[in-house]
Amino acid sequence: MRDEAFLDQGVAGLTTLQTLRAMDSGPRGLVESEAEERLARWGENVAPAWRGTSRSRLFVRGLRDPFTAVLLCLGVASASVAYWGTACVTVLLVLVSCALRAAGEYRADRSMVALRELVATTTTVLRRADAEGPPAAREVPVGQLVPGDVIRIGPGDVVPADVRLLRAGGLRVQQAFFTGESAPLAKHPVDVPRAVGPELFAQAQVCFQGSSVASGSGTAVVLATGARTRFASVRREPGRRERSAFDRTVHGVAWALIRFMLITPPLVLMAGAALRGRGLETLPFAVAVAVALTPETLPVIVTTSLARGAAFLARTHGVIVRRLPALHDIGAVDVLCLDKTGTLTQDRPVFDRALDASGRDDPEVLHWAAVNAWWTLQLAELPAPDALDEAVLDAADDDAPLRYDGVSADPFDPVRRVATAVVAEPGRLGTRTVIVKGSVEHVLERCVLDGEERERLLGLAAREAGRGLRLLAVARAERPVARRDRTPADPRGLTFLGLLTFRDALTPSAAEALAVLAGRGVEVKVLTGDHPGTAARVCRELGLEPGDVLTADRIDTLLDDELAALADRTRVFARCTPEHKARVVGALRGVGHTTGFLGDGVNDLPALHAADVGICPRDAVDVARERADVVLAEKDLTAIDHAIGAGRHSSGNVASYLRATLSSNLGNVIAMLVAGLLLPFLPMLPAQVLIQNLCFDSAQLAFAYDRPDASVLHRPTVLRPRRLLRFVTGFGLLNAVADLATFAVLVLTVPDTLGMQGADTFHSGWFTENLLTQALVMVLLRTGLRGFGRRRLGPVGAAAAVLALIGVLLPLTPLGTALGMVALPSLYYLLLAAVLCLYAVGLAVARDRYEQRDAERGGGR
């Protein structure tokens, strides 16, 4: 037997005899001893094992997160100035964040292991005890199959290896996982050599591991097993994946924070040296200011929010989020790409109309088609009706076929492409009725028609097909009784009766789910291998305007920039190969969309890899589940809506946290820098800055457990760094104004505020004001002025109240004394209350106006 290169070079280009010789096999199968030798040489027939990632590797992967890198830099900076407490707290936050993220993703991996399915368990193989012995059929584990084995497959079987057919009867194989086509393909032996080209999966004589037998049976020789099968080849790792929406957001925000961190300490040092003659004694304060600017708890809040959302989806909807950041990505999706089969439509056709030769409705056409379908099923001993026959029988009168006596039948043949039934009608002795049903072209060539009439009927069929319908033609003839009843091998001289049209059965929940997705700002684009008319018809029936359908032929002529512009305004893409789907998804990402792709087959792997978030159902092919980011309980748009809602819920909490903490921190830093230039002492002691920051960050952990406003669910939640920085800058300046107003209040109410004697009082007053303004920021930036009365404050409101109490009471406690703080005069609290009221009104009004402008622009968070 030749080496494994033979299995990849195109065995379909050989005749059947040449194939058997090349495999060192024969129609009687292998000898047991030879099979054992080949098993030892080639190994078991199992795909390369998928290995879950260990907890330790997941933990280390979390350390590469940019937010975590920011925290580690802070820890190093704190340790460099001997602020060991801050350094320890920072390292603890890093460890907690990485542990939470690793735990969530490890649980998802274990859930995926539980979902893995074997391609098959046993198969029927022909083996011989010795070279002269007869072949015996027996069941063997699939793992023991070897190249050269001769196997038998039947209805319901999963093809256990890549095989070439030696014999077949009515064999139809479902290989949608490879091609995306919902209809089973006819398979039969072909002895004429044919070179292997791009249409490998369309070759009739070859079946592939992972395909399933829809009907019929066959005998085949095994060509490839294990890692050498086409199914296993798609498990090879793809190229490096482009950064997802979460990655782009994280990197943008993280680098902005790192720049601020690197700039702030030098500015503080230079300002202190230039205006106050201070030296390195201000370094601890400069580091404390950098720490105050940075949201230390951000990795913990991001991970906790996403982990809680993922746990909720798994618990309530059976959705598995395999990669925690993918939950953010699915919440940010504004374009969802999918195939129509199994999502918008079910995997079965539905009878539409029965037309006579003139194109008018004629129930007689359906009647005779039902008689053909029923008696073909009964007499040909098919295990189940073909999908089109099942649709015919569902639509016809249940008693219609039973009015006749079946005589003989030939099932649909992939070469003749017709099914033939012969029946006897009671009361008509000496006459038999031959009914033929099949493809339009093959039925017409068996009918008595002149050339002009045949062209007219082909035109009628073409018009119906252009409307996105599948077609069957029906014809009949009366024949005298033969001496021996049998089915005519190739009936001719028929009378054409008419056409049957079929449409795809719509998924019951699809129309409603599409409307819900549209309400959430998600545009659905259909990428299918089907006929353009079929895809357009399905969209129209579901309430989607298909517009101009873009076909694969046109895609091939477009440059990347041209495709990106056209894909952005196109809803339906037809005749797409896996490569076309991936290219369209990539083009949509290129124009700024956050894309999701829903697929379930091997043919969907390139697009799953190209999308920001790959989605597949639980019953998808194994390798698709391994490559997907989100695994649904079933292939249903409603499940995707649940996942989108959970993603936006989690991302909304993260966005609220970022806006609140960065605005407050930036305002405090600006005020500290200004005050540091005007005062003969530091505006706050480093220890006070760090305690204040610790209190604020601890309170903001409540954002991870918050319930955001319902408006968050109405549009994609994208954390756009530039827009976030504009928001932070505007509201940070507003916060700085409030801080500086408090500076003025302290000057008015506390004697010698600008001298060294007033330092402790100034520190205490500013510490209290900072925590109170931060509590207001937490509440008002979350709800706004209009939402303050109608939204429950929840955990964020409770945390803000505790934060405010700490700000008022801590200076009065022994801990406050130890930190260098003192009690404040009553007049200070009265004037501070006035400042805070004005600040609250300004904050709420600015927030509502910002939200209104943002909604008018239709942008993300």
Short mmCIF file of all heavy atoms in Angstrom, two decimals, residues 481-541:
data_model
loop_
_atom_site.label_atom_id
_atom_site.label_comp_id
_atom_site.label_asym_id
_atom_site.label_seq_id
_atom_site.Cartn_x
_atom_site.Cartn_y
_atom_site.Cartn_z
N VAL A 481 -51.23 -4.35 -19.35
CA VAL A 481 -50.63 -5.27 -18.39
C VAL A 481 -49.66 -6.19 -19.11
O VAL A 481 -49.98 -6.79 -20.14
CB VAL A 481 -51.72 -6.10 -17.68
CG1 VAL A 481 -51.07 -7.14 -16.74
CG2 VAL A 481 -52.65 -5.19 -16.90
N ALA A 482 -48.46 -6.28 -18.57
CA ALA A 482 -47.46 -7.19 -19.13
C ALA A 482 -47.63 -8.57 -18.53
O ALA A 482 -48.34 -8.77 -17.54
CB ALA A 482 -46.06 -6.65 -18.86
N ARG A 483 -46.97 -9.53 -19.16
CA ARG A 483 -47.06 -10.89 -18.62
C ARG A 483 -46.52 -10.95 -17.19
O ARG A 483 -46.99 -11.72 -16.37
CB ARG A 483 -46.28 -11.86 -19.52
CG ARG A 483 -46.90 -12.03 -20.89
CD ARG A 483 -46.09 -13.05 -21.67
NE ARG A 483 -46.67 -13.27 -22.99
CZ ARG A 483 -46.16 -14.10 -23.89
NH1 ARG A 483 -45.07 -14.80 -23.60
NH2 ARG A 483 -46.74 -14.25 -25.07
N ARG A 484 -45.50 -10.13 -16.95
CA ARG A 484 -44.90 -10.12 -15.62
C ARG A 484 -44.78 -8.66 -15.19
O ARG A 484 -44.11 -7.86 -15.84
CB ARG A 484 -43.52 -10.76 -15.67
CG ARG A 484 -42.83 -10.82 -14.32
CD ARG A 484 -41.46 -11.48 -14.47
NE ARG A 484 -40.75 -11.51 -13.20
CZ ARG A 484 -39.52 -11.94 -13.06
NH1 ARG A 484 -38.85 -12.40 -14.12
NH2 ARG A 484 -38.95 -11.95 -11.88
N ASP A 485 -45.49 -8.35 -14.11
CA ASP A 485 -45.48 -6.98 -13.64
C ASP A 485 -44.07 -6.58 -13.19
O ASP A 485 -43.45 -7.25 -12.36
CB ASP A 485 -46.44 -6.80 -12.46
CG ASP A 485 -47.89 -6.73 -12.92
OD1 ASP A 485 -48.11 -6.24 -14.03
OD2 ASP A 485 -48.77 -7.17 -12.16
N ARG A 486 -43.59 -5.52 -13.75
CA ARG A 486 -42.30 -4.98 -13.33
C ARG A 486 -42.28 -3.50 -13.67
O ARG A 486 -43.09 -3.01 -14.48
CB ARG A 486 -41.15 -5.70 -14.02
CG ARG A 486 -41.18 -5.60 -15.53
CD ARG A 486 -40.03 -6.38 -16.17
NE ARG A 486 -40.08 -6.32 -17.60
CZ ARG A 486 -39.59 -5.33 -18.34
NH1 ARG A 486 -39.03 -4.30 -17.74
NH2 ARG A 486 -39.68 -5.35 -19.65
N THR A 487 -41.34 -2.81 -13.08
CA THR A 487 -41.21 -1.39 -13.36
C THR A 487 -40.44 -1.19 -14.65
O THR A 487 -39.38 -1.79 -14.83
CB THR A 487 -40.44 -0.70 -12.22
OG1 THR A 487 -41.06 -1.03 -10.99
CG2 THR A 487 -40.44 0.81 -12.39
N PRO A 488 -40.95 -0.38 -15.57
CA PRO A 488 -40.19 -0.10 -16.78
C PRO A 488 -38.82 0.46 -16.43
O PRO A 488 -38.68 1.30 -15.55
CB PRO A 488 -41.04 0.94 -17.51
CG PRO A 488 -42.41 0.78 -16.94
CD PRO A 488 -42.23 0.33 -15.54
N ALA A 489 -37.78 -0.06 -17.08
CA ALA A 489 -36.42 0.38 -16.77
C ALA A 489 -36.24 1.87 -17.04
O ALA A 489 -35.58 2.57 -16.28
CB ALA A 489 -35.41 -0.43 -17.57
N ASP A 490 -36.84 2.38 -18.08
CA ASP A 490 -36.71 3.79 -18.40
C ASP A 490 -37.95 4.21 -19.19
O ASP A 490 -37.95 4.23 -20.42
CB ASP A 490 -35.44 4.03 -19.22
CG ASP A 490 -35.10 5.51 -19.34
OD1 ASP A 490 -35.73 6.32 -18.63
OD2 ASP A 490 -34.22 5.85 -20.13
N PRO A 491 -39.06 4.50 -18.50
CA PRO A 491 -40.32 4.77 -19.18
C PRO A 491 -40.23 5.98 -20.10
O PRO A 491 -39.64 7.00 -19.74
CB PRO A 491 -41.30 5.00 -18.03
CG PRO A 491 -40.44 5.40 -16.88
CD PRO A 491 -39.16 4.67 -17.05
N ARG A 492 -40.81 5.86 -21.28
CA ARG A 492 -40.85 6.96 -22.25
C ARG A 492 -42.28 7.14 -22.72
O ARG A 492 -43.19 6.39 -22.35
CB ARG A 492 -39.94 6.62 -23.44
CG ARG A 492 -38.47 6.43 -23.09
CD ARG A 492 -37.77 7.75 -22.88
NE ARG A 492 -36.40 7.58 -22.38
CZ ARG A 492 -35.51 8.55 -22.33
NH1 ARG A 492 -35.85 9.75 -22.78
NH2 ARG A 492 -34.31 8.33 -21.85
N GLY A 493 -42.50 8.16 -23.54
CA GLY A 493 -43.82 8.40 -24.10
C GLY A 493 -44.83 8.82 -23.06
O GLY A 493 -46.01 8.49 -23.14
N LEU A 494 -44.39 9.60 -22.06
CA LEU A 494 -45.27 10.01 -20.96
C LEU A 494 -46.05 11.27 -21.32
O LEU A 494 -45.68 12.03 -22.22
CB LEU A 494 -44.43 10.27 -19.71
CG LEU A 494 -43.52 9.12 -19.22
CD1 LEU A 494 -42.70 9.58 -18.03
CD2 LEU A 494 -44.34 7.89 -18.87
N THR A 495 -47.11 11.48 -20.58
CA THR A 495 -47.90 12.71 -20.68
C THR A 495 -47.54 13.62 -19.52
O THR A 495 -47.64 13.23 -18.35
CB THR A 495 -49.40 12.40 -20.63
OG1 THR A 495 -49.74 11.53 -21.71
CG2 THR A 495 -50.21 13.68 -20.72
N PHE A 496 -47.10 14.81 -19.84
CA PHE A 496 -46.69 15.76 -18.79
C PHE A 496 -47.93 16.26 -18.04
O PHE A 496 -48.90 16.72 -18.65
CB PHE A 496 -45.94 16.94 -19.41
CG PHE A 496 -45.45 17.93 -18.41
CD1 PHE A 496 -44.32 17.66 -17.65
CD2 PHE A 496 -46.11 19.13 -18.23
CE1 PHE A 496 -43.87 18.58 -16.72
CE2 PHE A 496 -45.66 20.06 -17.30
CZ PHE A 496 -44.53 19.79 -16.55
N LEU A 497 -47.88 16.17 -16.70
CA LEU A 497 -49.01 16.61 -15.87
C LEU A 497 -48.78 18.01 -15.31
O LEU A 497 -49.71 18.83 -15.29
CB LEU A 497 -49.23 15.63 -14.72
CG LEU A 497 -49.64 14.21 -15.10
CD1 LEU A 497 -49.80 13.36 -13.85
CD2 LEU A 497 -50.95 14.24 -15.89
N GLY A 498 -47.60 18.30 -14.80
CA GLY A 498 -47.38 19.63 -14.23
C GLY A 498 -46.18 19.65 -13.29
O GLY A 498 -45.35 18.74 -13.26
N LEU A 499 -46.12 20.72 -12.51
CA LEU A 499 -45.00 20.97 -11.61
C LEU A 499 -45.49 21.06 -10.17
O LEU A 499 -46.60 21.55 -9.91
CB LEU A 499 -44.30 22.28 -11.97
CG LEU A 499 -43.71 22.42 -13.37
CD1 LEU A 499 -43.20 23.85 -13.57
CD2 LEU A 499 -42.59 21.42 -13.57
N LEU A 500 -44.65 20.62 -9.26
CA LEU A 500 -44.85 20.85 -7.83
C LEU A 500 -43.78 21.84 -7.38
O LEU A 500 -42.60 21.69 -7.71
CB LEU A 500 -44.71 19.56 -7.04
CG LEU A 500 -45.69 18.43 -7.34
CD1 LEU A 500 -45.36 17.23 -6.46
CD2 LEU A 500 -47.12 18.87 -7.09
N THR A 501 -44.18 22.84 -6.63
CA THR A 501 -43.21 23.81 -6.09
C THR A 501 -43.14 23.66 -4.57
O THR A 501 -44.15 23.38 -3.91
CB THR A 501 -43.59 25.25 -6.46
OG1 THR A 501 -44.84 25.59 -5.84
CG2 THR A 501 -43.71 25.41 -7.96
N PHE A 502 -41.93 23.87 -4.04
CA PHE A 502 -41.69 23.72 -2.61
C PHE A 502 -40.91 24.93 -2.12
O PHE A 502 -40.06 25.47 -2.82
CB PHE A 502 -40.89 22.45 -2.31
CG PHE A 502 -41.53 21.19 -2.79
CD1 PHE A 502 -41.36 20.76 -4.10
CD2 PHE A 502 -42.32 20.42 -1.95
CE1 PHE A 502 -41.94 19.60 -4.57
CE2 PHE A 502 -42.91 19.25 -2.39
CZ PHE A 502 -42.73 18.84 -3.71
N ARG A 503 -41.19 25.32 -0.93
CA ARG A 503 -40.44 26.40 -0.28
C ARG A 503 -39.86 25.87 1.02
O ARG A 503 -40.29 24.83 1.54
CB ARG A 503 -41.34 27.61 0.00
CG ARG A 503 -42.57 27.27 0.81
CD ARG A 503 -43.46 28.48 1.03
NE ARG A 503 -44.71 28.13 1.66
CZ ARG A 503 -44.88 27.91 2.95
NH1 ARG A 503 -43.85 28.04 3.77
NH2 ARG A 503 -46.06 27.59 3.45
N ASP A 504 -38.88 26.59 1.53
CA ASP A 504 -38.26 26.19 2.80
C ASP A 504 -39.23 26.47 3.94
O ASP A 504 -39.86 27.54 4.00
CB ASP A 504 -36.96 26.97 3.04
CG ASP A 504 -35.86 26.50 2.11
OD1 ASP A 504 -35.81 25.31 1.81
OD2 ASP A 504 -35.05 27.35 1.68
N ALA A 505 -39.33 25.53 4.87
CA ALA A 505 -40.17 25.72 6.06
C ALA A 505 -39.48 26.72 6.98
O ALA A 505 -38.32 26.54 7.36
CB ALA A 505 -40.39 24.40 6.77
N LEU A 506 -40.18 27.80 7.32
CA LEU A 506 -39.59 28.83 8.16
C LEU A 506 -39.54 28.36 9.62
O LEU A 506 -40.41 27.63 10.09
CB LEU A 506 -40.42 30.11 8.07
CG LEU A 506 -40.56 30.73 6.68
CD1 LEU A 506 -41.40 32.00 6.76
CD2 LEU A 506 -39.20 31.04 6.07
N THR A 507 -38.50 28.77 10.31
CA THR A 507 -38.42 28.51 11.75
C THR A 507 -39.48 29.35 12.44
O THR A 507 -39.54 30.57 12.22
CB THR A 507 -37.02 28.87 12.27
OG1 THR A 507 -36.04 28.10 11.56
CG2 THR A 507 -36.92 28.60 13.76
N PRO A 508 -40.33 28.77 13.29
CA PRO A 508 -41.46 29.52 13.88
C PRO A 508 -41.04 30.79 14.62
O PRO A 508 -41.75 31.79 14.58
CB PRO A 508 -42.09 28.49 14.84
CG PRO A 508 -41.71 27.16 14.27
CD PRO A 508 -40.36 27.35 13.66
N SER A 509 -39.91 30.75 15.29
CA SER A 509 -39.51 31.90 16.10
C SER A 509 -38.66 32.91 15.34
O SER A 509 -38.28 33.94 15.91
CB SER A 509 -38.72 31.41 17.33
OG SER A 509 -37.54 30.73 16.92
N ALA A 510 -38.37 32.64 14.06
CA ALA A 510 -37.40 33.47 13.35
C ALA A 510 -37.87 34.91 13.15
O ALA A 510 -37.11 35.85 13.40
CB ALA A 510 -37.06 32.84 12.00
N ALA A 511 -39.11 35.09 12.70
CA ALA A 511 -39.60 36.44 12.41
C ALA A 511 -39.59 37.31 13.66
O ALA A 511 -39.13 38.46 13.64
CB ALA A 511 -41.00 36.37 11.80
N GLU A 512 -40.08 36.76 14.75
CA GLU A 512 -40.11 37.53 16.00
C GLU A 512 -38.69 37.83 16.49
O GLU A 512 -38.40 38.95 16.94
CB GLU A 512 -40.87 36.76 17.07
CG GLU A 512 -40.98 37.49 18.39
CD GLU A 512 -41.74 36.69 19.45
OE1 GLU A 512 -42.26 35.60 19.10
OE2 GLU A 512 -41.81 37.15 20.59
N ALA A 513 -37.80 36.83 16.39
CA ALA A 513 -36.42 37.04 16.85
C ALA A 513 -35.71 38.09 16.01
O ALA A 513 -34.94 38.91 16.53
CB ALA A 513 -35.66 35.71 16.80
N LEU A 514 -35.97 38.10 14.69
CA LEU A 514 -35.35 39.12 13.83
C LEU A 514 -35.83 40.52 14.22
O LEU A 514 -35.04 41.47 14.21
CB LEU A 514 -35.69 38.83 12.37
CG LEU A 514 -34.97 37.64 11.73
CD1 LEU A 514 -35.53 37.36 10.35
CD2 LEU A 514 -33.47 37.88 11.66
N ALA A 515 -37.12 40.65 14.55
CA ALA A 515 -37.64 41.95 14.96
C ALA A 515 -36.99 42.40 16.27
O ALA A 515 -36.66 43.58 16.45
CB ALA A 515 -39.16 41.86 15.12
N VAL A 516 -36.80 41.46 17.20
CA VAL A 516 -36.15 41.79 18.47
C VAL A 516 -34.71 42.23 18.24
O VAL A 516 -34.24 43.22 18.82
CB VAL A 516 -36.21 40.58 19.43
CG1 VAL A 516 -35.36 40.84 20.67
CG2 VAL A 516 -37.65 40.30 19.84
N LEU A 517 -33.99 41.50 17.39
CA LEU A 517 -32.60 41.87 17.10
C LEU A 517 -32.52 43.25 16.45
O LEU A 517 -31.62 44.03 16.75
CB LEU A 517 -31.96 40.81 16.21
CG LEU A 517 -31.67 39.46 16.86
CD1 LEU A 517 -31.16 38.46 15.81
CD2 LEU A 517 -30.65 39.59 17.98
N ALA A 518 -33.45 43.53 15.54
CA ALA A 518 -33.45 44.85 14.91
C ALA A 518 -33.68 45.94 15.96
O ALA A 518 -33.06 47.01 15.90
CB ALA A 518 -34.54 44.91 13.83
N GLY A 519 -34.57 45.65 16.92
CA GLY A 519 -34.80 46.60 18.00
C GLY A 519 -33.58 46.80 18.89
O GLY A 519 -33.45 47.83 19.56
N ARG A 520 -32.68 45.85 18.89
CA ARG A 520 -31.45 45.97 19.67
C ARG A 520 -30.30 46.55 18.85
O ARG A 520 -29.16 46.56 19.30
CB ARG A 520 -31.04 44.60 20.22
CG ARG A 520 -32.01 44.03 21.23
CD ARG A 520 -31.36 42.88 21.99
NE ARG A 520 -32.27 42.15 22.82
CZ ARG A 520 -32.72 42.53 24.01
NH1 ARG A 520 -32.36 43.72 24.48
NH2 ARG A 520 -33.54 41.78 24.71
N GLY A 521 -30.60 46.98 17.63
CA GLY A 521 -29.56 47.58 16.80
C GLY A 521 -28.64 46.59 16.13
O GLY A 521 -27.51 46.93 15.77
N VAL A 522 -29.12 45.34 15.94
CA VAL A 522 -28.31 44.32 15.30
C VAL A 522 -28.86 44.06 13.90
O VAL A 522 -30.04 43.69 13.76
CB VAL A 522 -28.31 43.00 16.11
CG1 VAL A 522 -27.50 41.93 15.39
CG2 VAL A 522 -27.75 43.24 17.50
N GLU A 523 -28.04 44.24 12.89
CA GLU A 523 -28.44 43.96 11.52
C GLU A 523 -28.06 42.53 11.16
O GLU A 523 -26.93 42.11 11.38
CB GLU A 523 -27.78 44.92 10.54
CG GLU A 523 -28.19 44.70 9.09
CD GLU A 523 -27.49 45.63 8.13
OE1 GLU A 523 -26.62 46.40 8.58
OE2 GLU A 523 -27.80 45.58 6.91
N VAL A 524 -29.01 41.78 10.63
CA VAL A 524 -28.77 40.39 10.25
C VAL A 524 -28.43 40.33 8.77
O VAL A 524 -29.14 40.89 7.94
CB VAL A 524 -30.00 39.51 10.56
CG1 VAL A 524 -29.80 38.10 9.99
CG2 VAL A 524 -30.22 39.44 12.05
N LYS A 525 -27.33 39.65 8.44
CA LYS A 525 -26.94 39.43 7.05
C LYS A 525 -26.90 37.93 6.80
O LYS A 525 -26.38 37.17 7.63
CB LYS A 525 -25.59 40.07 6.75
CG LYS A 525 -25.62 41.61 6.82
CD LYS A 525 -24.29 42.22 6.43
CE LYS A 525 -24.33 43.73 6.55
NZ LYS A 525 -25.16 44.39 5.52
N VAL A 526 -27.45 37.50 5.67
CA VAL A 526 -27.57 36.09 5.34
C VAL A 526 -26.47 35.71 4.36
O VAL A 526 -26.39 36.28 3.26
CB VAL A 526 -28.96 35.79 4.74
CG1 VAL A 526 -29.08 34.31 4.38
CG2 VAL A 526 -30.06 36.18 5.73
N LEU A 527 -25.63 34.76 4.75
CA LEU A 527 -24.56 34.24 3.90
C LEU A 527 -24.86 32.77 3.65
O LEU A 527 -24.77 31.95 4.57
CB LEU A 527 -23.19 34.37 4.59
CG LEU A 527 -22.51 35.75 4.58
CD1 LEU A 527 -23.34 36.79 5.32
CD2 LEU A 527 -21.13 35.64 5.23
N THR A 528 -25.24 32.43 2.42
CA THR A 528 -25.71 31.08 2.14
C THR A 528 -25.11 30.55 0.86
O THR A 528 -24.71 31.32 -0.02
CB THR A 528 -27.25 31.06 2.07
OG1 THR A 528 -27.70 29.75 1.79
CG2 THR A 528 -27.74 32.00 0.97
N GLY A 529 -25.08 29.25 0.75
CA GLY A 529 -24.67 28.62 -0.49
C GLY A 529 -25.81 28.37 -1.44
O GLY A 529 -25.62 27.86 -2.55
N ASP A 530 -27.03 28.74 -1.04
CA ASP A 530 -28.23 28.47 -1.84
C ASP A 530 -28.39 29.44 -3.00
O ASP A 530 -27.65 30.42 -3.14
CB ASP A 530 -29.48 28.53 -0.95
CG ASP A 530 -29.65 27.25 -0.15
OD1 ASP A 530 -28.99 26.26 -0.47
OD2 ASP A 530 -30.45 27.26 0.81
N HIS A 531 -29.42 29.16 -3.80
CA HIS A 531 -29.78 30.00 -4.94
C HIS A 531 -30.18 31.40 -4.45
O HIS A 531 -30.82 31.55 -3.42
CB HIS A 531 -30.96 29.34 -5.67
CG HIS A 531 -31.31 30.00 -6.97
ND1 HIS A 531 -32.07 31.15 -7.02
CD2 HIS A 531 -31.04 29.66 -8.26
CE1 HIS A 531 -32.26 31.50 -8.29
NE2 HIS A 531 -31.63 30.61 -9.05
N PRO A 532 -29.80 32.46 -5.18
CA PRO A 532 -30.16 33.82 -4.76
C PRO A 532 -31.66 34.01 -4.57
O PRO A 532 -32.09 34.67 -3.62
CB PRO A 532 -29.63 34.70 -5.90
CG PRO A 532 -28.56 33.88 -6.55
CD PRO A 532 -28.97 32.46 -6.41
N GLY A 533 -32.46 33.43 -5.47
CA GLY A 533 -33.91 33.57 -5.35
C GLY A 533 -34.45 32.93 -4.09
O GLY A 533 -35.36 33.46 -3.44
N THR A 534 -33.90 31.76 -3.72
CA THR A 534 -34.35 31.08 -2.51
C THR A 534 -34.05 31.92 -1.28
O THR A 534 -34.91 32.10 -0.40
CB THR A 534 -33.65 29.72 -2.38
OG1 THR A 534 -33.92 28.95 -3.56
CG2 THR A 534 -34.12 28.98 -1.16
N ALA A 535 -32.85 32.45 -1.19
CA ALA A 535 -32.47 33.26 -0.04
C ALA A 535 -33.32 34.53 0.03
O ALA A 535 -33.77 34.93 1.11
CB ALA A 535 -30.99 33.61 -0.12
N ALA A 536 -33.55 35.18 -1.11
CA ALA A 536 -34.34 36.41 -1.12
C ALA A 536 -35.79 36.13 -0.71
O ALA A 536 -36.40 36.91 0.03
CB ALA A 536 -34.30 37.04 -2.51
N ARG A 537 -36.33 35.01 -1.17
CA ARG A 537 -37.71 34.68 -0.83
C ARG A 537 -37.87 34.46 0.68
O ARG A 537 -38.83 34.94 1.30
CB ARG A 537 -38.14 33.42 -1.58
CG ARG A 537 -39.57 32.99 -1.27
CD ARG A 537 -39.90 31.65 -1.90
NE ARG A 537 -41.27 31.25 -1.60
CZ ARG A 537 -42.32 31.57 -2.34
NH1 ARG A 537 -42.14 32.27 -3.45
NH2 ARG A 537 -43.53 31.18 -2.01
N VAL A 538 -36.93 33.75 1.27
CA VAL A 538 -36.98 33.50 2.72
C VAL A 538 -36.95 34.82 3.48
O VAL A 538 -37.71 35.03 4.44
CB VAL A 538 -35.82 32.59 3.15
CG1 VAL A 538 -35.68 32.57 4.66
CG2 VAL A 538 -36.04 31.17 2.62
N CYS A 539 -36.07 35.73 3.07
CA CYS A 539 -35.99 37.02 3.75
C CYS A 539 -37.29 37.79 3.66
O CYS A 539 -37.77 38.36 4.65
CB CYS A 539 -34.84 37.85 3.16
SG CYS A 539 -33.20 37.24 3.60
N ARG A 540 -37.89 37.80 2.47
CA ARG A 540 -39.16 38.53 2.32
C ARG A 540 -40.25 37.92 3.19
O ARG A 540 -41.05 38.65 3.79
CB ARG A 540 -39.58 38.53 0.85
CG ARG A 540 -38.87 39.59 0.00
CD ARG A 540 -39.52 39.73 -1.37
NE ARG A 540 -39.29 38.54 -2.17
CZ ARG A 540 -38.26 38.40 -3.01
NH1 ARG A 540 -37.37 39.37 -3.12
NH2 ARG A 540 -38.12 37.31 -3.71
N GLU A 541 -40.31 36.60 3.27
CA GLU A 541 -41.34 35.95 4.08
C GLU A 541 -41.16 36.25 5.56
O GLU A 541 -42.12 36.20 6.33
CB GLU A 541 -41.32 34.44 3.84
CG GLU A 541 -41.81 34.04 2.45
CD GLU A 541 -41.78 32.53 2.24
OE1 GLU A 541 -41.21 31.83 3.10
OE2 GLU A 541 -42.32 32.06 1.22
#
